[in-house]
Amino acid sequence: MEPLRVVLQKYPTLSVLVFAVAFRLVHRLLRDLPIPKHVEQDKVKSWRWRNLTVSLVHSLLTGPWAVLCVFSSPDMTSQIYSSYTTVDYLLVCISSGYFVQDAADIILSGQSRASWEFLVHHAMVLLCFMYAIYSHHYVGGTVVALLVEVNSVFLHTRLLLKLASAQDSGLYRVNKYINLVTYVTFRLSTQFYLTWYIVQHFHALDHAAFFLFTMVFMNGMILVYFQRLVHTDFLRPKRRAAHCGKDSAASNNSTKFVYD
């Protein structure tokens, strides 16, 4: 694995761009898969469907990968600044390529205004990830942060089911509970742990103020989204069928990062 690390660290920008192109190829391949007819007939919905399927592929790849990395090197959680392996570094490069591709897809598809908060999220993530890639510091912390992708698998599945108008299906009901549990255990817990770690080691970490600001900002975002998620899936009364058409039409103007 050492030759791979040498290549990745010698050409970090090229490595990330190669993985971005790879995810773009995945996007192209997934376009040939069938999608619900009512989704295909709507330009915005069809874009969201294809965009979310690529996001799901990324989550299915990086979520379990991050879990395996943390289990194989448990000291990473207590040494997020310096601890990492070649496999960890590769994971960060691949994930960075995905975020570059996804941001480009949002912009080039004319969805920047509707998905502006997601672009902000991607920009902050890429700043942190690229710092880790170039400096070789915080690689372990970045891998720990990618544990949130375990929850993203169920989050993206939820959104795809909603686009398919399958909110009343058994799959949606099962997924919403798994989504809730993994949101707390993998997304909220991971974010809060990293925030706590930075606060505890603030004076010993390089650029700690920047990373703490980033974590606090993103913590605010995920708490707002968590409140929307709980309200929609567990507290809001079921809508009557008569309102489905109106709600479906309104959803066309919603952001990509939707929790309601």
Side-chain angles (χ1 to χ4, degrees):
M1 296 295 285
E2 189 60 28
L4 176 60
R5 182 194 295 216
V6 171
V7 172
L8 291 173
Q9 294 185 341
K10 186 176 182 180
Y11 306 103
T13 302
L14 180 60
S15 299
V16 171
L17 290 177
V18 166
F19 292 124
V21 171
F23 275 105
R24 193 61 190 174
L25 290 175
V26 171
H27 183 281
R28 180 63 186 85
L29 290 173
L30 290 174
R31 290 181 62 182
D32 296 329
L33 296 178
I35 64 176
K37 188 162 294 186
H38 73 277
V39 173
E40 189 174 17
Q41 294 172 347
D42 186 290
K43 183 178 179 181
V44 175
K45 285 186 176 182
S46 61
W47 170 78
R48 289 184 63 206
W49 181 277
R50 294 190 175 95
N51 183 276
L52 283 167
T53 52
V54 177
S55 298
L56 181 58
V57 169
H58 169 256
S59 298
L60 286 169
L61 172 66
T62 59
W65 188 340
V67 172
L68 289 174
C69 287
V70 172
F71 269 99
S72 62
S73 303
D75 59 319
M76 184 188 305
T77 58
S78 60
Q79 301 176 30
I80 69 171
Y81 181 78
S82 57
S83 177
Y84 75 95
T85 65
T86 301
V87 174
D88 301 332
Y89 192 85
L90 175 61
L91 172 59
V92 176
C93 290
I94 290 175
S95 194
S96 297
Y98 159 75
F99 285 112
V100 169
Q101 185 279 147
D102 197 53
D105 186 40
I106 293 172
I107 294 170
L108 296 177
S109 299
Q111 299 297 321
S112 299
R113 178 175 293 184
S115 301
W116 67 268
E117 57 195 283
F118 212 51
L119 287 177
V120 172
H121 169 272
H122 281 15
M124 300 190 79
V125 167
L126 281 170
L127 282 173
C128 296
F129 280 28
M130 295 306 293
Y131 178 90
I133 289 172
Y134 276 97
S135 70
H136 310 155
H137 298 312
Y138 294 105
V139 176
T142 304
V143 172
V144 173
L146 283 170
L147 289 173
V148 304
E149 293 301 328
V150 173
N151 167 247
S152 294
V153 171
F154 304 101
L155 192 61
H156 297 321
T157 299
R158 173 184 180 273
L159 295 175
L160 286 169
L161 289 171
K162 285 178 71 69
L163 277 175
S165 300
Q167 295 96 316
D168 294 327
S169 66
L171 178 58
Y172 186 92
R173 287 192 291 272
V174 171
N175 184 80
K176 76 175 184 179
Y177 287 105
I178 301 176
N179 184 38
L180 179 68
V181 172
T182 56
Y183 201 106
V184 174
T185 56
F186 284 94
R187 189 173 295 275
L188 291 176
S189 297
T190 297
Q191 290 283 132
F192 293 160
Y193 171 75
L194 289 172
T195 304
W196 172 85
Y197 186 97
I198 294 172
V199 171
Q200 290 294 109
H201 301 85
F202 188 84
H203 296 293
L205 298 173
D206 291 341
H207 307 290
F210 165 73
F211 286 102
L212 182 59
F213 169 79
T214 301
M215 294 305 300
V216 170
F217 182 86
M218 295 181 71
N219 289 346
M221 290 181 68
I222 65 173
L223 283 172
V224 170
Y225 295 142
F226 184 63
Q227 183 273 330
R228 294 181 189 174
L229 177 68
V230 172
H231 179 264
T232 302
D233 276 356
F234 299 96
L235 301 180
R236 180 185 296 175
K238 289 186 177 181
R239 293 169 176 165
R240 296 184 179 276
H243 294 161
C244 287
K246 180 179 178 181
D247 293 335
S248 177
S251 69
N252 290 344
N253 297 319
S254 59
T255 65
K256 172 183 177 281
F257 206 17
V258 175
Y259 286 76
D260 54 12

